[in-house]
Amino acid sequence: MARVLLNVPRSAARGEVIEIRALIQHEMETGYRPGANGEVLPRDIIRRFVCRYGNEVVFQAELFPAISANPFISFTTVATESATLTFHWSGDNGFAQTETRVLAVT
Amino acid sequence: MSERGAPGRWMAGRRGLGGLLAVTLVRPVAAERLPLSEALRSHAGGAAIREGRVTLEIPPLVENGNTVPLLVSVESPMTEADFVRSIAVFNERNPQPNVITAQIGPRAGRARLSTRIRLATSQRIVAVAEMSDGSLWSGSAEVIVTLAACVEG
Amino acid sequence: MTRRRAARAALALAVAMPLAAQAPRSGFEEMGPAIQAMQQDDMANPGMLSVQEGEALWAQPAGPAGRSCAGCHGEAAASMRGVAARHPAFDAASGAPIDLAGRIQRCRTEQQGAPPLARESPDLLALSAFVAHQSRGMPVSPDPDPGLAPFRARGEAEFRARRGQLDLSCAQCHEDRAGGRLGGSLIPQGHPNGYPLYRLEWQRIGSLQRRLRNCMVGVRAEPFAFGAPEYVEIELFLMSRAAGLAIETPAVRP
């Protein structure tokens, strides 16, 4: 399990636009870098990040090798109702990780 | 060597062998990659991209091209009737033109995307926003990438 | 002849201002606002991933007796507070200075009976980062033990010794020319107050020893091996030179 820093407010007012910041531990090996023996190391990156608010996808992104190691993404979403937010990262070599956070909306 | 500067550190593999410094610098094959203009044309599917409404916040000069903070914001009311559908970021001189492509929608509240990117060398970054009415808008920024003076071993 | 020599000496003195005459300045001050912001936000500082890892390792049992760091040291926030600020410290057992990572390595093998953690391994970096993080904000407070004096003097001598094909000493860049530029990059004073830190160049967390090795390779000198006593002596000197600066672990640096 890769380490994550996931910043989601615990609560928000209905209609408030909240900021979500997600950082996950990952090398993001570009596929352009030679290794110790001079041969290019194969690409191994996170390729997709999806955020679901309850059941609805509210943000998704396709990542490319130009995204730095330990990829950081920050985006906003409207706090509509109390729900569980689900964050999913997937990528090369079967990388898959899911995190959830509960948001209380008053 | 490009007149803009040498390839970024994340491109190179290095091993310091005592006093013998074996450095392999892999030059980004800029000549073989899709030019930025082509990448933008392909993304737009032939439609016109207008300049405006998209702002990039990125340091004009960075100490290191490995991790460059980028904020893209798009002017939009983000209502059901008028919102940003996607934000796609492109680069000019990395081995590959795409950086990140995000799909958002009225649930976003604001059209804002922040991330950290790799820049192989000094170059231009372009962000294209697709609106709910199908129109495409773009903004760009130029970044100078300096390199660490002492080579990593 | 004497007058010209005197003039040259005066010029040399004017240009080469020893650090003793300048206040120590953390590398943090030399960074642009975006990277400063990255360091200051615990939810966006990639070094915090390693601190998190270290926190988990702190509680994890290791060795045949299943002892964790927490088993002896309890809550790190209390027991480890100030520890990084006064390391390298005098180690009575060896009669020499020991750095924080060295002490963690020793606890691992001698107290926990667990397999050793290699220098620069992710686990040792994580534990070092976690422990040093407990001193964040505290001023660097060198161990006053007089037994350290000869080692500190050796560390200073290393700092001032020319080395490598480029025949440069640490002092020539980080003391005489600190604040100037080398190939577009600003030359920092070279303080150790943020280590282990997340270096953008490395795209991961790394130790002071790794950074010192970079510099040695940079001047085309044979670097000392990881764990070499020379590094501990240099760190001892660097910490006294940085006295008063706040610990920033995990710092972010270009």
Side-chain angles (χ1 to χ4, degrees):
Chain A
M1 282 280 278
R3 299 249 158 227
V4 297
L5 294 173
L6 198 45
N7 196 6
V8 181
R10 265 190 243 278
S11 65
R14 198 174 299 272
E16 186 184 342
V17 177
I18 60 168
E19 189 190 19
I20 294 172
R21 284 171 308 147
L23 191 158
I24 186 166
Q25 186 180 40
H26 197 283
E27 294 280 314
M28 298 292 281
E29 189 59 66
T30 60
Y32 301 111
R33 208 168 66 99
N37 60 359
E39 292 205 7
V40 171
L41 297 164
R43 189 187 72 193
D44 184 4
I45 64 167
I46 290 176
R47 311 203 46 195
R48 198 147 189 76
F49 170 72
V50 183
C51 172
R52 280 184 177 78
Y53 193 118
N55 288 324
E56 193 176 335
V57 172
V58 291
F59 179 89
Q60 57 185 323
E62 195 182 347
L63 281 61
F64 295 85
I67 296 296
S68 302
N70 305 312
F72 173 83
I73 298 177
S74 172
F75 59 98
T76 56
T77 196
V78 179
T80 50
E81 77 240 320
S82 296
T84 298
L85 273 62
T86 309
F87 304 89
H88 185 72
W89 294 261
S90 55
D92 296 330
N93 298 308
F95 184 88
Q97 187 155 329
T98 306
E99 301 282 330
T100 58
R101 290 291 186 275
V102 175
L103 175 68
V105 177
T106 48
Chain B
M1 250 343 175
S2 146
E3 74 277 8
R4 299 273 202 99
R9 283 286 155 253
W10 59 268
M11 290 290 299
R14 295 160 297 272
R15 284 288 176 269
L17 305 168
L20 201 76
L21 186 68
V23 173
T24 47
L25 282 171
V26 174
R27 202 179 157 195
V29 281
E32 292 174 24
R33 70 153 254 182
L34 200 64
L36 177 58
S37 54
E38 283 302 310
L40 293 171
R41 216 190 321 275
S42 169
H43 176 73
I49 305 177
R50 274 173 280 184
E51 272 182 43
R53 297 178 69 179
V54 179
T55 310
L56 276 70
E57 268 178 56
I58 191 167
L61 188 148
V62 293
E63 302 100 321
N64 190 285
N66 280 334
T67 309
V68 183
L70 167 68
L71 168 64
V72 181
S73 45
V74 185
E75 283 166 31
S76 167
M78 295 305 278
T79 61
E80 291 283 342
D82 183 7
F83 60 91
V84 174
R85 232 188 260 285
S86 73
I87 299 173
V89 182
F90 300 89
N91 68 79
E92 188 191 12
R93 287 171 174 245
N94 284 0
Q96 204 251 354
N98 301 81
V99 178
I100 188 170
T101 304
Q103 273 89 43
I104 55 177
R107 297 270 329 231
R110 278 195 277 276
R112 271 170 77 87
L113 169 66
S114 185
T115 184
R116 292 171 189 159
I117 69 175
R118 286 166 163 150
L119 296 176
T121 183
S122 301
Q123 60 186 294
R124 196 158 77 101
I125 305 299
V126 176
V128 179
E130 185 190 351
M131 305 304 191
S132 46
D133 67 1
S135 65
L136 297 162
W137 294 82
S138 75
S140 68
E142 293 269 358
V143 186
I144 296 172
V145 178
T146 62
L147 300 174
C150 273
V151 178
E152 159 108 25
Chain C
M1 186 64 176
T2 329
R3 232 177 284 146
R4 231 189 287 155
R5 267 193 168 195
R8 239 185 280 138
L11 184 68
L13 272 172
V15 167
M17 189 167 53
L19 191 56
Q22 317 162 19
R25 209 172 130 81
S26 170
F28 179 84
E29 312 292 342
E30 320 292 8
M31 303 194 304
I35 310 300
Q36 286 186 336
M38 201 186 292
Q39 176 176 317
Q40 292 186 301
D41 183 354
D42 280 357
M43 292 306 276
N45 178 340
M48 288 303 289
L49 291 170
S50 197
V51 170
Q52 231 185 62
E53 186 70 47
E55 186 172 11
L57 288 168
W58 179 266
Q60 208 179 79
R67 276 208 196 103
S68 67
C69 313
C72 289
H73 296 286
E75 281 292 313
S79 60
M80 294 294 112
R81 186 169 165 71
V83 170
R86 60 174 186 271
H87 271 71
F90 189 76
D91 173 41
S94 59
I98 190 167
D99 63 339
L100 182 60
R103 202 180 274 287
I104 293 171
Q105 278 182 316
R106 227 197 15 214
C107 263
R108 193 82 177 169
T109 51
E110 290 179 15
Q111 305 302 327
Q112 291 177 293
L117 294 170
R119 285 272 176 177
E120 222 59 23
S121 63
D123 281 1
L124 183 58
L125 285 169
L127 278 168
S128 305
F130 175 65
V131 172
H133 181 64
Q134 308 311 316
S135 295
R136 188 169 64 171
M138 297 179 68
V140 170
S141 313
D143 185 349
D145 193 310
L148 287 172
F151 299 95
R152 191 174 287 118
R154 273 219 286 277
E156 179 165 6
E158 291 286 1
F159 185 79
R160 302 194 184 289
R162 285 175 178 264
R163 66 184 77 247
Q165 288 178 355
L166 298 189
D167 199 36
L168 287 171
S169 71
C170 315
Q172 283 177 283
C173 285
H174 294 291
E175 200 166 271
D176 301 348
R177 288 162 185 80
R181 285 189 177 271
L182 179 62
S185 301
L186 199 126
I187 301 171
Q189 290 179 352
H191 293 297
N193 59 314
Y195 281 91
L197 53 76
Y198 190 88
R199 192 168 184 220
L200 303 185
E201 171 79 15
W202 300 329
Q203 295 196 87
R204 61 167 53 103
I205 200 154
S207 68
L208 174 65
Q209 295 198 2
R210 181 174 179 178
R211 188 68 190 84
L212 295 174
R213 282 171 64 89
N214 288 175
C215 274
M216 293 182 77
V217 169
V219 298
R220 316 261 168 87
E222 173 89 50
F224 306 124
F226 275 115
E230 285 90 341
Y231 288 132
V232 183
E233 288 160 6
I234 293 169
E235 184 178 357
L236 184 64
F237 168 68
L238 292 178
M239 285 296 265
S240 63
R241 190 171 165 261
L245 286 180
I247 297 284
E248 292 177 22
T249 311
V252 177
R253 294 285 187 268

